[in-house]
Amino acid sequence: MRIAGEILSQFQNFIKSHPEDKEIAIVSHSLGTIVLWDLLFAKDLPEDDPAHEFREFFNSNKFALKLCGIVTMGSPLLFMRLRQNIDFSYVDDFVETSNKNLIWLNIIHASDLIAYPLGNAIEHDKSDNYFLFTDQFLWMHANGAESGALRFGQAHAGMALAMADAHGGYWSNDVVADLMASLVIGDLKTLTTKRVHTGWRSYSEDTHS
């Protein structure tokens, strides 16, 4: 709850400093995606939980803010779904209350053992098409050590050498930046057709090569 309170305080300061910004995109990473889930979507929270006040920014006429998109990177949400009350239909409830559309972009690096795709679970849970969800995969080596290990057939060593850089490298990845830009400008064609990105070429679901 202390973390949620700090995020709420920082967001309040942002809104005061940038009153002209009415469309908001929130980017989260790793365990931060769990925090974001609690802030926006979790049910049965204590009355004094800062999440209630945080959601008012998007679900009341007082602020007139639109949550246009969220980005999750290296997210263990699917893993945590087995251990916590994570029901992705709660996103439907949030968007229906806010009467606005939402784009959710989930990015997974192939060498990131913490990251999970969420598309199938979300399709299973959600009750309507209130929001657009897309998994996007980064299929590239995380570092030179991984590349070298794989070149010599050392798959397990490559996995170990890549893990930390893959999980922490989203912030400096050019493909991630391009995908975020597509979300911000509302480029739905890119978000719904590009699936696997090598850094120099993107393979769509219909590509068999």
Side-chain angles (χ1 to χ4, degrees):
M1 193 177 296
R2 289 176 56 188
I3 295 175
E6 180 62 29
I7 294 174
L8 173 63
S9 177
Q10 292 184 19
F11 190 68
Q12 289 170 328
N13 291 334
F14 173 82
I15 296 302
K16 291 178 182 178
S17 301
H18 303 275
E20 72 284 359
D21 290 332
K22 299 301 182 182
E23 294 191 357
I24 305 297
I26 301 177
V27 180
S28 59
H29 173 255
S30 191
L31 290 179
T33 66
I34 306 296
V35 176
L36 179 63
W37 175 267
D38 289 342
L39 276 172
L40 291 177
F41 308 123
K43 296 290 185 71
D44 301 322
L45 297 173
E47 292 184 2
D48 60 342
D49 195 294
H52 296 298
E53 190 172 352
F54 188 83
R55 294 175 195 182
E56 285 185 2
F57 282 105
F58 309 108
N59 292 334
S60 72
N61 295 324
K62 180 179 178 181
F63 301 99
L65 294 179
K66 175 183 178 181
L67 182 61
C68 63
I70 62 175
V71 180
T72 48
M73 305 182 297
S75 177
L77 269 171
L78 189 64
F79 174 77
M80 296 303 296
R81 186 172 185 262
L82 300 175
R83 289 156 176 77
Q84 297 183 6
N85 185 24
I86 292 179
D87 182 339
F88 291 113
S89 67
Y90 295 170
V91 184
D92 286 318
D93 298 338
F94 174 88
V95 178
E96 185 177 20
T97 301
S98 65
N99 293 315
K100 299 179 179 74
N101 295 321
L102 175 67
I103 302 172
W104 181 344
L105 168 62
N106 184 53
I107 306 176
I108 308 107
H109 194 292
S111 299
D112 184 358
L113 301 183
I114 295 176
Y116 288 83
L118 302 174
N120 287 340
I122 286 179
E123 287 296 329
H124 176 271
D125 285 355
K126 72 177 188 175
S127 57
D128 209 335
N129 295 319
Y130 286 115
F131 67 100
L132 169 67
F133 175 87
T134 177
D135 279 320
Q136 299 284 342
F137 298 90
L138 307 181
W139 184 28
M140 57 189 70
H141 294 139
N143 52 39
E146 178 191 21
S147 179
L150 294 179
R151 191 177 301 118
F152 288 100
Q154 301 297 317
H156 289 90
M159 186 182 302
L161 292 167
M163 174 59 199
D165 284 346
H167 187 64
Y170 295 94
W171 301 105
S172 58
N173 188 288
D174 290 342
V175 177
V176 172
D178 288 342
L179 289 170
M180 288 186 186
S182 297
L183 182 147
V184 170
I185 66 176
D187 181 2
L188 302 186
K189 182 178 180 180
T190 293
L191 294 178
T192 55
T193 58
K194 288 188 176 180
R195 294 298 178 188
V196 180
H197 311 273
T198 65
W200 60 273
R201 179 178 179 184
S202 296
Y203 298 85
S204 71
E205 284 187 323
D206 297 328
T207 300
H208 302 284
S209 61

